[in-house]
Amino acid sequence: MISQVLTYWDGQGFVVIYKRLEKGRFVAPSLGQRSVPLTAGQLQALFEGADWKSIRAAPRCHARAVA
């Protein structure tokens, strides 16, 4: 797939995003899925043409109180 169209609901309306790659292909979700939740990092990887499925969020760190 060389072009990608995404719709995003921002709470007030839909945002339509379109991107076409000059070289390479997008790693697209399977066609059977109606929607795919993406993190900001996954969205960035998708639009750069990278494999967005391999992007994972770092585990959250919880600070401890220092006395």
Side-chain angles (χ1 to χ4, degrees):
M1 172 184 306
I2 61 171
S3 65
Q4 188 82 23
V5 178
L6 298 174
T7 56
Y8 169 75
W9 177 257
D10 69 356
Q12 296 179 355
F14 280 101
V15 177
V16 178
I17 305 167
Y18 175 83
K19 171 108 183 211
R20 182 178 183 275
L21 291 179
E22 293 297 321
K23 294 182 181 179
R25 293 185 168 279
F26 288 105
V27 177
S30 68
L31 296 176
Q33 295 175 298
R34 289 183 53 129
S35 66
V36 178
L38 298 175
T39 64
Q42 289 173 322
L43 179 62
Q44 181 178 358
L46 174 67
F47 272 124
E48 290 177 0
D51 184 359
W52 61 273
K53 296 176 187 176
S54 64
I55 305 295
R56 300 281 182 250
R60 296 198 115 183
C61 296
H62 299 286
R64 294 181 294 190
V66 178

